Amino acid sequence: MTVIRLVRRAVALLLPAVLVAACGSGPPAGPRLLFAEDFTGSTLAAGRWVTCYDWNLDGCTNAGNREQQWYRPEQVRVSGGQAILSAVRRPTRGADHVVYPWASGMVSTGRPSWSGRPRFTFTYGRVEAELLMPRAPNSFPAFWLMPASRYTPPEVDVVELIGADDRARSTVHWRDPDGRAQAWVHESPARDWSDRFHHFALDWASDRLTWSIDGERVCTVTDPARIPNEPMEVLFTLAMGYPDPVPDQVHDAELRIRSVRVWAP
């Protein structure tokens, strides 16, 4: 009788611990991580990133914006857990035979060439990155999404600094029923975005786009006509001279990227 009591008591004490262990044995439910980059090592991961647009021909530029830079791979370096896009005032001849006053850097999860395949695309989810922005007037740093189809709009800009007013812009581009390009822009209050790394994020769902900065929601779009529904590439670009030429006294600029993440919905 004494032995039976002891066994029952031991089982009673053990059972709650077994139940707790069983309940906590699996991973917590939550979004699935699709893409993660912490820029470890000293070189850019070629399996994840390219250093030009799809129209890479010994470098590239965005001629549609009349930007002043020619993107070159040597203007991107990896150091200290960061990808550093460097713009330098140096006459650089492009494949289009134009001499650009600036050489700069960009990274994209798109194609290494026109006939290549994108490194990474996603449709819906959360994309986020930590950025240390330049403060050079008329530098044009941007963290944005472009369709894998190469046809824009649509386009979603997680953050851009344009001109010299230090306002962080969140933008969505789309076409109206007549095929005309349209854009909606939210401007966050001006501040020095070069003072430290800031966390920029976009939550992209089929029925809304939500932007946040440093964990605080700044704006939301819910109009279905404005929300893209096709695979998108992730880009970080450091353009120069948009919308106006860079002042003569500015000779360089840097955009530093840290901790890029893309999560499934």
Side-chain angles (χ1 to χ4, degrees):
M1 191 69 175
T2 304
V3 173
I4 293 175
R5 287 201 191 98
L6 289 174
V7 171
R8 287 177 176 170
R9 184 179 180 187
V11 170
L13 291 172
L14 180 61
L15 187 58
V18 172
L19 291 174
V20 169
C23 291
S25 60
R32 179 167 52 94
L33 185 62
L34 300 177
F35 183 93
E37 179 63 86
D38 294 306
F39 300 108
T40 57
S42 58
T43 58
L44 196 67
R48 295 179 177 179
W49 301 100
V50 297
T51 55
C52 243
Y53 293 114
D54 298 350
W55 47 94
N56 183 1
L57 190 63
D58 195 28
C60 59
T61 194
N62 186 345
N65 281 346
R66 295 188 299 234
E67 296 166 1
Q68 289 190 302
Q69 84 292 332
W70 186 257
Y71 289 121
R72 291 288 305 159
E74 62 267 21
Q75 298 306 123
V76 180
R77 70 183 192 277
V78 174
S79 177
Q82 303 171 24
I84 305 166
L85 312 185
S86 298
V88 59
R89 189 184 287 275
R90 182 180 69 225
T92 304
R93 181 177 294 275
D96 55 2
H97 307 296
V98 174
V99 176
Y100 293 83
W102 288 83
S104 191
M106 64 167 283
V107 293
S108 165
T109 65
R111 298 169 175 83
S113 64
W114 189 259
S115 58
R117 298 182 62 182
R119 295 294 197 245
F120 170 78
T121 65
F122 75 109
T123 308
Y124 307 136
R126 179 181 177 87
V127 59
E128 55 189 28
E130 293 178 279
L131 304 179
L132 185 64
M133 307 284 247
R135 205 178 188 187
N138 293 320
S139 62
F140 181 21
F143 167 24
W144 55 295
L145 306 181
M146 181 175 77
S149 67
R150 294 181 282 228
Y151 297 103
T152 60
E155 174 189 322
V156 185
D157 304 315
V158 184
V159 63
E160 297 176 304
L161 297 185
I162 302 174
D165 61 12
D166 292 325
R167 294 177 184 172
R169 289 169 171 82
S170 308
T171 308
V172 59
H173 302 258
W174 73 97
R175 290 194 184 277
D176 66 19
D178 295 324
R180 293 171 298 192
Q182 304 287 347
W184 178 91
V185 184
H186 175 272
E187 296 182 348
S188 294
R191 61 165 298 170
D192 181 4
W193 300 101
S194 68
D195 62 341
R196 61 180 176 86
F197 276 92
H198 292 275
H199 184 274
F200 299 93
L202 171 74
D203 287 288
W204 171 24
S206 60
D207 61 350
R208 69 184 55 234
L209 295 166
T210 303
W211 289 259
S212 60
I213 299 177
D214 293 332
E216 180 181 349
R217 186 173 65 184
V218 296
C219 59
T220 300
V221 167
T222 57
D223 182 351
R226 304 180 182 186
I227 299 171
N229 58 5
E230 61 183 284
M232 306 282 267
E233 305 166 357
V234 182
L235 301 96
F236 299 89
T237 52
L238 178 53
M240 301 299 291
Y242 178 83
D244 300 304
V246 180
D248 291 342
Q249 66 270 23
V250 177
H251 297 280
D252 53 46
E254 283 187 348
L255 169 61
R256 292 177 174 253
I257 311 164
R258 188 172 74 179
S259 182
V260 182
R261 296 286 187 272
V262 180
W263 303 85

